[in-house]
Every structure is written in structure tokens, then in C-alpha cells.
Amino acid sequence: MQDKDEPGAVVTLDDMYQQIKALRSDVDKLAFKIDCLSQEKQDHGRRIRNLEVKVWPAIGAVGLLAWIIPQIPELFNTLGG
């Protein structure tokens, strides 16, 4: 037993058990949030790659048109136009 004149605190096993349960619940919530963030990051990367797959061919087509269009008048002149 503790003398009433001495400062201190009494922590029971039940108090410790309740605190450990609360801590475990907090850790589980954090782990779930980390999993969600990881999945969102993977999904974001996949969406960016899909967008790049669509954009790069379009950029190539525009580049090809930019090269072909100035050649059209020369082609007509060569063919006797």
C-alpha cells in the first residue's frame, strides 16, 4: 500500500487494459488509412499512364501533320499544278 503522504498515482490492470485497447484501435485506423492512401497513389499512377498512352500518339500525329502540310504546295508544283 501507498502512504497517503507520498505523491503518486495508482494504475490498475483494468486501466492499462483499456488504454492498450484504445491504442490498438488507433493503430488499426491508421493502418487502414495508410492502405487507402497507397491504393489511391497506385490508382493515380495508373490513370497518368493511361493518359500518356492517349496523349503521345496525338502529339505524334500533330507533329506529322505539321511536317506534311508545308509539303503540299511543293507536291502540287512537282505534279504540274
Side-chain angles (χ1 to χ4, degrees):
M1 284 293 238
Q2 194 173 20
D3 187 11
K4 292 185 181 188
D5 294 336
E6 290 182 31
V10 176
V11 179
T12 66
L13 286 176
D14 186 55
D15 293 337
M16 289 176 40
Y17 177 73
Q18 295 302 323
Q19 290 298 317
I20 290 172
K21 278 180 44 179
L23 180 62
R24 175 61 188 215
S25 175
D26 292 344
V27 169
D28 289 342
K29 289 175 188 175
L30 287 173
F32 179 74
K33 287 182 182 181
I34 289 171
D35 287 342
C36 289
L37 290 174
S38 177
Q39 289 173 359
E40 286 178 17
K41 181 180 176 187
Q42 290 173 356
D43 184 48
H44 179 70
R46 186 173 28 257
R47 285 183 289 163
I48 293 295
R49 284 188 294 279
N50 288 340
L51 183 61
E52 286 176 344
V53 166
K54 294 174 185 174
V55 168
W56 282 111
I59 291 172
V62 168
L64 184 62
L65 286 174
W67 177 77
I68 290 175
I69 290 174
Q71 307 298 325
I72 292 174
E74 283 185 39
L75 182 62
F76 281 132
N77 290 336
T78 303
L79 294 175

